[in-house]
Amino acid sequence: MKVHYEGTAVSTRLLSDHAACVAEWKAIRASHLANKVENYSDVAYNYAACPHGFLLEGRGVGRRTGANGNQDLNRAHYAIVGLVGSEGLTEPTDAMLSAIRDGIELLREHGAGTEIKGHRDGYATSCPGGPLYAWVQKARRVRPPRPRPPRPRHPLSRRTTCPPR
C-alpha cells in the first residue's frame, strides 16, 4: 500500500463541504484523464479519503495503480490518496485517517499485502506530506488485522454478510 497526497494547495473548504470533496475528486480524475504524457485510463489512485471520512472509489480493487510509476519498487502497490495538500488543508482529520485505514483493510481483503508506505518511500518526493507521512510511519508498525472467517450467506441475499443476530 502506498499513501499519497495531492502535493498542491488544497482548499480548507473541503472541511465544511463534502460536495467540495466530491468535486475535488472529480477534478483529480479529469486531470489524470487529460494527462497525455502518463496516458492514464482512469484516475491514478485506487481510492481517495476525504476529511469527512468517506472512501471515494478510483480504480478500486484488482486494478493496477497508475500513481506509483513503473519502477520495480512501486509496481506491486495499491494507492490511496488523502485529500490534503502542501498548503491550505495539510492536516488529515481523524475521519480521513479512518477512511484510509478502511481502504487499506478493503484492499487487504482482496489480496493486498501488509506493507504500508508513503510515496516518498520509493521515490524522491515529499508525498504524502509531513502530517500524513507521520501517520503512515505509525500505521506501518501496527500489526495488521487477522483475517476474519467467512460468514454464512443466504443464497438469495445480495448482501455480502448476514446481519448480526
Side-chain angles (χ1 to χ4, degrees):
M1 213 69 57
K2 285 272 177 65
V3 178
H4 298 260
Y5 81 149
E6 291 192 55
T8 58
V10 174
S11 173
T12 56
R13 180 174 167 239
L14 270 62
L15 288 169
S16 60
D17 184 5
H18 180 61
C21 296
V22 174
E24 183 77 7
W25 185 230
K26 287 180 179 181
I28 292 169
R29 176 173 265 138
S31 73
H32 286 191
L33 289 172
N35 183 336
K36 299 304 178 195
V37 174
E38 298 290 344
N39 200 25
Y40 293 135
S41 61
D42 194 359
V43 67
Y45 309 106
N46 299 95
Y47 290 97
C50 87
H52 303 98
F54 289 95
L55 188 62
L56 307 170
E57 186 170 19
R59 292 183 180 218
V61 297
R63 302 260 192 264
R64 187 178 181 283
T65 179
N68 296 319
N70 290 320
Q71 299 162 359
D72 288 338
L73 181 63
N74 296 324
R75 284 186 184 174
H77 291 91
Y78 282 105
I80 297 177
V81 61
L83 296 184
V84 292
S86 57
E87 294 178 37
L89 180 58
T90 59
E91 295 279 338
T93 64
D94 288 343
M96 179 187 291
L97 297 175
S98 180
I100 292 172
R101 174 58 75 189
D102 289 345
I104 290 169
E105 289 177 11
L106 174 66
L107 290 165
R108 283 180 176 162
E109 288 173 6
H110 290 87
T114 59
E115 186 173 69
I116 301 171
K117 291 188 171 194
H119 186 195
R120 68 174 68 176
D121 289 319
Y123 187 74
T125 178
S126 61
C127 184
L132 188 51
Y133 189 64
W135 179 86
V136 167
Q137 289 179 308
K138 289 178 187 172
R140 71 169 52 148
R141 290 188 293 266
V142 174
R143 190 173 157 182
R146 289 183 172 191
R148 292 178 281 185
R151 295 180 69 174
R153 188 172 166 245
H154 187 279
L156 299 178
S157 171
R158 290 185 184 190
R159 298 173 67 135
T160 57
T161 60
C162 294
R165 294 180 188 208

